[in-house]
Amino acid sequence: MAIAKAERLMNLALCLLGTRRPLSKRELRSSIEAYLEAGSDDSFNRMFERDKDDLRELGLVIETVENLDGEIGYQARRDSNRLPPIALDAEEAAALGLAAKVWQQARLAGAASGALQKLRAAGMPEDVDPYEPHGALEPRIPVREASFEPLMLACRDRRPVVFDYRKANAARPEQRQVEPWALECWRGHWYLAGWDRDREAERVFRLSRITGKVRSRAGRFKAPVPDVVTVRETVASWAGETADRSALIRLRAGAGYPLRAKAVSVRDLGDGWDEVEIPYGHGLDAWLVEFGPDVVVLEPAELRADVVERLRAVAKG
């Protein structure tokens, strides 16, 4: 079935690209064998409309023209479907190759590889190998969460989704109805930004806290999608990146290097502990909980209380 459809799409594309004038449905049906075998006019119309939409989704520009008799014709003009020459120098080709290598361990690896092959065919310098290492560091974006692919497709297709989500300070997950906008990786974790229908507000969700399957829902988005979705900035503010205060913690010696990297001051307390002053902003309590018994909050009191509350929630299971 897949081969038959691919052949039908190819034949339709060739007819639309090869004609010098718009062709009507009647003419297209008589020119393509698969359409001749359609059992009825309704069956042909449904098949043709699906094929036309599929070709447009693949990037073919199909024009619709009405003649003097009011009959609709279709044509894919070659000048409208021809890309300008692609001229890439060595540095630009290397940058594209580096970007493609980022996705080698993700679900987009096939798409990235295919894009590079098309660029080579369109004029990428042959003496540049995009997969050749260009430095000591090679970027990787790991995608371990099963929710990544269905959310990526939902963002692309603008489809609402439903999933169970467990907040850091919650013992059990709760269902969330979300209109997904964008996915972004920040400090090794994937986040989804979207509109929470129940709370009627923008929210950001960490994919590692989504439990169970992501289920799609019918219907369109109810809230407008912003032109710019600031996932990273939102998560950064929650993680204390925009902190305007300081917190004092006890940190086990040899542990908590991410905390030490942000330290304003460090004092050796002896007995295997250090006193560390770090910036304090929204979301710091959730971050500190991840270090478990290696961290003890000294002050402020509200931060200590928040950390204790989160630990109790985790202990309850």
Side-chain angles (χ1 to χ4, degrees):
M1 292 295 293
I3 295 176
K5 181 175 181 180
E7 183 179 355
R8 193 173 72 239
L9 290 175
M10 179 64 72
N11 289 334
L12 177 59
L14 290 174
C15 282
L16 295 174
L17 287 167
T19 181
R20 295 184 178 181
R21 61 174 179 81
L23 298 176
S24 66
K25 282 187 180 181
R26 173 178 47 82
E27 291 172 314
L28 289 169
R29 186 177 186 181
S30 63
S31 303
I32 298 176
E33 184 178 356
Y35 290 156
L36 286 172
E37 297 174 355
S40 64
D41 290 342
D42 289 341
S43 177
F44 159 69
N45 286 329
R46 289 194 299 268
M47 187 185 302
F48 173 73
E49 292 299 327
R50 285 197 302 267
D51 291 348
K52 179 160 58 70
D53 291 342
D54 288 342
L55 288 177
R56 281 175 169 164
E57 186 175 347
L58 290 171
L60 189 68
V61 180
I62 301 175
E63 298 179 359
T64 302
V65 181
E66 184 177 351
N67 61 22
L68 296 177
D69 298 328
E71 190 176 29
I72 301 298
Y74 304 90
Q75 183 181 19
R77 290 169 43 189
R78 290 184 179 273
D79 56 348
S80 300
N81 289 280
R82 183 182 294 115
L83 291 175
I86 299 176
L88 299 174
D89 58 27
E91 292 184 355
E92 291 170 334
L96 286 172
L98 193 63
K101 292 188 71 174
V102 169
W103 292 102
Q104 280 187 352
Q105 294 178 341
R107 293 299 184 100
L108 297 180
S113 177
L116 286 177
Q117 291 179 6
K118 293 177 182 178
L119 287 171
R120 286 196 190 97
M124 177 182 284
E126 295 184 1
D127 58 338
V128 176
D129 184 2
Y131 289 104
E132 192 71 25
H134 295 280
L137 299 177
E138 292 191 12
R140 291 288 187 271
I141 297 183
V143 180
R144 305 180 183 92
E145 295 85 358
S147 59
F148 176 83
E149 186 172 10
L151 288 175
M152 178 188 69
L153 297 176
C155 290
R156 184 197 67 183
D157 300 336
R158 292 287 186 258
R159 286 185 284 106
V161 294
V162 175
F163 51 78
D164 294 331
Y165 188 76
R166 182 186 59 79
K167 295 193 296 185
N169 60 345
R172 293 180 176 83
E174 59 180 9
Q175 189 179 89
R176 311 296 282 268
Q177 299 185 61
V178 179
E179 299 175 7
W181 293 342
L183 287 163
E184 187 159 345
C185 186
W186 188 76
R187 294 194 172 179
H189 296 288
W190 278 99
Y191 295 87
L192 168 73
W195 182 262
D196 190 316
R197 287 183 168 180
D198 296 322
R199 289 153 183 79
E200 296 186 347
E202 178 182 350
R203 289 290 186 270
V204 174
F205 305 91
R206 183 162 152 176
L207 266 60
S208 61
R209 292 178 182 154
I210 294 177
T211 62
K213 292 184 177 180
V214 175
R215 304 176 295 281
S216 298
R217 288 292 179 263
R220 298 183 178 182
F221 284 8
K222 298 178 180 178
V225 180
D227 294 332
V228 179
V229 182
T230 56
V231 182
R232 186 170 301 185
E233 290 80 356
T234 301
V235 177
S237 66
W238 288 1
E241 295 296 308
T242 55
D244 56 0
R245 295 174 289 170
S246 294
L248 203 61
I249 63 173
R250 286 177 58 198
L251 185 59
R252 195 184 302 275
Y257 289 105
L259 294 172
R260 295 178 184 276
K262 291 182 172 295
V264 177
S265 63
V266 179
R267 184 167 67 92
D268 186 1
L269 297 176
D271 297 329
W273 290 89
D274 295 325
E275 184 181 86
V276 181
E277 182 182 359
I278 57 175
Y280 174 27
H282 178 74
L284 180 59
D285 54 334
W287 193 29
L288 293 177
V289 167
E290 297 181 5
F291 295 93
D294 292 330
V295 171
V296 177
V297 179
L298 301 177
E299 56 183 57
E302 63 267 22
L303 175 61
R304 180 182 178 89
D306 290 340
V307 171
V308 170
E309 181 182 357
R310 287 180 179 272
L311 289 173
R312 285 174 176 168
V314 173
K316 289 179 181 177

